[in-house]
Amino acid sequence: MTEILGYPREDGRKGIRNVVVVAYLVECAHHVARRIVEGANHTDIQLIGFPGCFPNDYALKLMKRLCTHPNVGAALLVSLGCEGFNRNTLHEEIDGSGRPVKTLVIQKAGGTRSSIDQGLDWVLSTQAQIATQPQVPMGINELIVATICGGSDGTSGISANPAVGRSFDKLVDQGATCIFEETGELIGCEHIMAERSITPELGAEIQASVNKAERYYSKMGYGSFAPGNADGGLTTIEEKSIGAYMKSGSAQISGMIKPGDIPPNGGLYLMDVVPDGEPTFGFPNISDNAEIVEMIASGAHITLFTTGRGSVVGSAISPVIKICSNPETFAQLSDDMDINAGKIILGEASLDEVGEEIYQKTIAVSRGQASLSETLGHQEFILTYKKFDAIGPACLPSH
Amino acid sequence: MNTTTAQDKRLIALSDEDNVLICCRPIKANEVVMINGTEMQLSTAIGVGHKVARQAITKGEKIVRCGMPIGSATVEIALGQHVHMHNIKSDYMPSHDRHAVQGKI
């Protein structure tokens, strides 16, 4: 197999893409940032941003992690000028990482047209500059692979999800880091996850995080269960959870992280995505892309996205590989699906065979092959307000 | 395809202890299937991903899928009946539909 070539970063990590991000720091700067990205019309010049005017520690932390993600080679920050986002701290963090960075303040740059022109000049010249950066060999043990399920149905838990679990087992065996998440969709699985944890103390932390998720969602008035899940045969949150849980495979759980925490070494990690304290800003994650962004902020190079009903999303910064669990959905949406796990439902392929196919696709995309969502131009991104306490020492026993 | 043999791939048990089967190919209303050696006609159509009772299930009994409980029966469920929101409920938090009103689950 041809080796993976990565873009080396000063912090020692390597990227499988070399993206220039254009980040708006308040909704008021969104239009200018979007016009810069549209004007550039280049796969590797991508739009991200945070819409709120009030400062938020979580949003700042995630923007820092995203703008210094190994798949990111440079960043343009687009500020209106008066918003609460700490643009100087973010700029310094990116500058300190060795990446080209520019902050464009619309109020000082002559308004909309002038800001778009200045931003466009900068991203085009910077992209051309970083495109010549040499790549270096990258091991599978340097990869971080995340997984999410969206638009799940009654087939997800028996085809795509356990097949991803098989690919996770192989990746973890080879030293890679794998992340699974959404404690609100693991309700009912807390006891078995605790048993798989490398220490009893980590197991207790995981059980507590699922209990927190149950309390939080109860207060919100809805579980993490969409009407489409029921259309597809899922009846209860614990049934959905059992299916979602299958994505984690069978490796021991090495730790539990929160969004933006980078796993310290290889192994399988659970991400606790439910905010701490009293519910303050609403639902933990308002849609699938919010979860994908959180795993990218924790360093994910690639996200394996399983779907039964048929999600079509991708993401900015890190490629999304889509694995379709339902043969009827695959027939409808095959242009969007990288992997057909519906073959398992029809008895035409085994879990091991599809797991191997997912693993091979993960390596191919790491080596530069575009996933279908990349080819179709999907670069969804969403970041909202949240609040977290730092993880406790028991969450990362090997650190 | 012979729809009356136990090897019918349209309904599968994920685990020996399960009391529901998962539908892997669409089944039309009134089609004949074999469940646990009993040949029977299904009263409703069953879509891919949906569940049918593998045995008679009493009210309050746990529904077991993949060897794990996924909720409890809210009514008596007959062998071969569609198992879904009309006859089982979560033991954690209720599921909502598109007519849900926030805070009312």
Side-chain angles (χ1 to χ4, degrees):
Chain A
M1 180 188 291
T2 317
E3 63 190 351
I4 303 168
L5 291 175
Y7 296 94
R9 309 300 179 194
E10 285 186 8
D11 63 5
R13 294 188 289 167
K14 292 168 189 161
I16 60 166
R17 298 289 184 271
N18 204 18
V19 170
V20 179
V21 289
V22 179
Y24 60 91
L25 304 184
V26 63
E27 180 59 21
C28 319
H30 191 162
H31 173 76
V32 166
R34 182 173 55 222
R35 281 296 169 89
I36 292 167
V37 171
E38 286 172 357
N41 192 26
H42 191 291
T43 312
D44 290 333
I45 299 176
Q46 302 181 355
L47 182 67
I48 67 172
F50 178 69
C53 189
F54 300 91
N56 180 247
D57 292 343
Y58 158 85
L60 179 59
K61 175 181 177 178
L62 259 66
M63 284 295 268
K64 285 180 178 176
R65 296 286 186 271
L66 292 162
C67 291
T68 58
H69 186 281
N71 287 354
V72 172
L76 173 67
L77 308 180
V78 186
S79 160
L80 175 64
C82 46
E83 73 276 5
F85 202 99
N86 192 336
R87 62 176 178 267
N88 293 334
T89 299
L90 178 58
H91 184 109
E92 285 161 18
E93 179 92 7
I94 302 165
D95 194 39
S97 77
R99 288 169 174 81
V101 57
K102 179 183 171 69
T103 300
L104 193 59
V105 179
I106 297 169
Q107 289 169 349
K108 293 179 182 166
T112 301
R113 192 165 290 130
S114 170
S115 298
I116 293 169
D117 290 346
Q118 290 178 47
L120 191 53
D121 282 350
W122 191 85
V123 295
L124 290 174
S125 62
T126 304
Q127 197 280 324
Q129 177 196 329
I130 67 170
T132 61
Q133 187 184 347
Q135 290 170 279
V136 297
M138 178 176 177
I140 289 172
N141 62 342
E142 295 177 275
L143 271 181
I144 302 184
V145 181
T147 189
I148 182 176
C149 43
S152 297
D153 70 12
T155 66
S156 301
I158 49 181
S159 61
N161 292 356
V164 164
R166 299 289 206 277
S167 72
F168 261 31
D169 287 348
K170 184 163 179 179
L171 287 162
V172 168
D173 273 352
Q174 296 181 340
T177 303
C178 291
I179 304 173
F180 71 113
E181 53 86 63
E182 186 43 315
T183 38
E185 293 171 1
L186 290 165
I187 289 170
C189 303
E190 58 273 21
H191 305 292
I192 37 175
M193 287 196 293
E195 285 168 17
R196 285 174 63 192
S197 303
I198 56 171
T199 65
E201 292 77 18
L202 172 61
E205 289 274 7
I206 288 176
Q207 292 213 35
S209 77
V210 176
N211 292 340
K212 175 180 73 170
E214 189 188 350
R215 283 195 308 275
Y216 197 103
Y217 275 103
S218 296
K219 279 212 164 174
M220 288 293 102
Y222 295 115
S224 185
F225 188 95
N229 297 146
D231 298 339
L234 293 175
T235 312
T236 64
I237 184 61
E238 54 267 48
E239 183 182 17
K240 181 176 173 178
S241 295
I242 290 167
Y245 170 74
M246 297 294 170
K247 303 196 299 302
S248 66
S250 60
Q252 278 199 307
I253 301 175
S254 293
M256 183 168 72
I257 56 172
K258 289 180 180 175
D261 297 336
I262 314 281
N265 36 41
L268 178 67
Y269 293 81
L270 170 65
M271 180 180 281
D272 173 10
V273 302
V274 174
D276 293 306
E278 283 300 300
T280 305
F281 299 117
F283 290 96
N285 283 313
I286 60 174
S287 56
D288 293 329
N289 278 100
E291 297 169 37
I292 294 173
V293 164
E294 289 183 332
M295 292 192 286
I296 294 173
S298 285
H301 294 93
I302 288 180
T303 300
L304 305 178
F305 190 129
T306 66
T307 184
R309 304 298 291 170
S311 174
V312 300
V313 305
S315 179
I317 299 176
S318 294
V320 171
I321 295 172
K322 288 232 281 312
I323 302 130
C324 186
S325 65
N326 185 321
E328 295 180 334
T329 305
F330 185 82
Q332 288 284 328
L333 300 176
S334 57
D335 283 356
D336 286 276
M337 302 300 165
D338 295 279
I339 304 279
N340 175 12
K343 290 181 290 189
I344 298 164
I345 301 293
L346 299 176
E348 294 168 359
S350 69
L351 282 174
D352 284 337
E353 286 164 353
V354 176
E356 178 65 18
E357 208 180 321
I358 297 166
Y359 170 83
Q360 294 297 343
K361 176 61 78 173
T362 303
I363 302 302
V365 170
S366 301
R367 285 165 38 203
Q369 185 189 89
S371 71
L372 288 177
S373 56
E374 284 185 292
T375 304
L376 291 164
H378 282 284
Q379 294 176 0
E380 286 85 349
F381 183 92
I382 187 163
L383 178 61
T384 62
Y385 285 94
K386 286 175 94 168
K387 188 176 72 175
F388 283 99
D389 299 333
I391 52 170
C395 291
L396 294 175
S398 63
H399 191 36
Chain B
M1 184 197 298
N2 182 352
T3 58
T4 58
T5 67
Q7 284 73 42
D8 186 341
K9 286 186 175 173
R10 296 180 301 177
L11 291 170
I12 59 162
L14 299 177
S15 181
D16 287 346
E17 61 263 53
D18 289 5
N19 54 12
V20 289
L21 301 168
I22 311 299
C23 176
C24 287
R25 293 179 196 242
I27 300 173
K28 296 190 189 87
N30 303 319
E31 271 197 73
V32 174
V33 296
M34 176 82 86
I35 301 176
N36 272 5
T38 306
E39 196 174 274
M40 57 183 311
Q41 203 173 24
L42 296 187
S43 57
T44 55
I46 304 293
V48 172
H50 285 249
K51 300 174 286 298
V52 300
R54 189 184 190 185
Q55 61 203 53
I57 299 169
T58 58
K59 183 178 176 180
E61 195 178 329
K62 296 281 185 203
I63 308 302
V64 180
R65 171 184 170 145
C66 227
M68 291 163 70
I70 59 163
S72 302
T74 53
V75 293
E76 303 288 315
I77 304 173
L79 169 72
Q81 220 181 343
H82 186 205
V83 174
H84 205 17
M85 300 172 95
H86 60 289
N87 51 17
I88 77 170
K89 67 172 180 59
S90 169
D91 294 325
Y92 284 81
M93 60 179 77
S95 304
H96 60 276
D97 61 22
R98 292 189 178 87
H99 305 291
V101 177
Q102 190 168 8
K104 297 288 186 190
I105 66 168

